[in-house]
Amino acid sequence: MEISTSKEKMMMFEEKDLMACCGSTKFAKEMTLASPFTSPEQAVAAATNIWFNKVDVYGWLEAFASHPQIGQSPSASHTAAEFSKGEQSTALATATGSSSQELSDWNGRYKQKFGFVFLICASGRTTSEILAELKRRYENKPIVELEIAAQEQMRITELRLQKLFSAKSKAVSTSSQCLTEFATKLAADLNSSSGVASQIPTRSRPPITTHVLDISRGCPAAGVEVLLEMWKGIQARPLFGEMNGDGWAFQGRSSTDADGRSGQLMKIVDAVNPGIYRISFNTGKYSPSGFFPYVSIVFEIRESQNTEHFHVPLLFSPFSFTTYRGS
């Protein structure tokens, strides 16, 4: 196991610094507890896990509310405002009087429909590009748009963490000699004791995750039993219309929490086995008077996708459901 620390520094962040990256109090507190970080990549991995697995919907909305309306230059001078100015520089530079007014009008329509500001990672995007994306996303259902906005917030947070880490690194002048000596000794001990490098996953969550939203009530669905299986039958793949119930192999089981998110359905590994998977939800128990005794979603992970993340949500009501691949 080789550990390089020649250019690494243990970086601590205060809550106010992290609030500038993502305006969720829960996020900032959890990131403070997770620090120090030795690289921007480590900080981003921790942030992704916290944002999607520990921050609830109310925390998401708190973060959304910290953003200025897209297309408007923030007037405050604090760190978050400086981030926003930089991210919107291309949009502000390419705006005209008419496009600014149209963007403002659509921002108002968007907020009236969804209840929060239009959120997009604006870095490098022109006003016309942002306006086109706003109009496209305006057609989404609120529960779908909430998920998209959360993903955009994570992209913004990632950029801001990298900038913050770079700024802090330049300001830090303390020596890392003790850390280097410790890392060298640790690597020597591990190599001498095992002779084999440890395989530590770089993922912060399992490669397959899900959550359930009750669109009839407009809130997360808690207590829904979730089952993950993988096709292991004699045939290479299950065939439509054929009886193949014995070919599915158990991978994991859990129940959704108060935020509608399932627990861990499989091990955290860098590369997931390619194949066909099935996630089943015990919707009959959750909604006894509904139309669906259970819902199963079958999807395929190809060899070329084995390092990607597969988030397969269920948007459910007693008489309808839909799904999509998220991130």
Side-chain angles (χ1 to χ4, degrees), residues 201 203 205-208 251 264-270 272:
R203 293 182 189 262
R205 52 180 173 164
I208 300 176
Q251 299 294 299
Q264 188 166 314
L265 293 171
M266 64 187 309
K267 293 181 179 179
I268 301 177
V269 293
D270 284 334
V272 63

Side-chain angles (χ1 to χ4, degrees), residues 167-312:
K168 288 282 186 181
S169 295
K170 293 177 182 178
V172 172
S173 60
T174 57
S175 172
S176 61
Q177 183 62 36
C178 292
L179 177 61
T180 303
E181 292 176 356
F182 171 77
T184 302
K185 184 177 183 303
L186 176 62
D189 290 344
L190 289 174
N191 285 330
S192 62
S193 63
S194 66
V196 180
S198 299
Q199 299 300 315
I200 302 176
T202 58
R203 293 182 189 262
S204 59
R205 52 180 173 164
I208 300 176
T209 57
T210 186
H211 72 263
V212 184
L213 297 175
D214 188 334
I215 58 177
S216 66
R217 299 167 55 205
C219 66
V224 178
E225 296 176 2
V226 184
L227 173 66
L228 176 65
E229 300 166 292
M230 183 180 182
W231 176 251
K232 298 284 189 178
I234 298 175
Q235 297 174 330
R237 57 195 299 119
L239 299 178
F240 175 76
E242 291 191 5
M243 298 297 293
N244 45 39
D246 294 334
W248 294 101
F250 174 83
Q251 299 294 299
R253 181 192 298 270
S254 69
S255 294
T256 56
D257 60 16
D259 295 323
R261 299 189 178 277
S262 70
Q264 188 166 314
L265 293 171
M266 64 187 309
K267 293 181 179 179
I268 301 177
V269 293
D270 284 334
V272 63
N273 291 326
I276 297 177
Y277 290 82
R278 179 171 70 180
I279 297 183
S280 298
F281 304 85
N282 192 352
T283 51
K285 183 177 180 180
Y286 174 79
S287 180
S289 61
F291 185 66
F292 305 100
Y294 68 90
V295 170
S296 289
I297 301 170
V298 179
F299 57 97
E300 182 173 7
I301 299 177
R302 303 183 187 280
E303 183 71 42
S304 60
Q305 300 173 307
N306 66 351
T307 59
E308 298 178 18
H309 181 75
F310 296 84
H311 186 61
V312 189

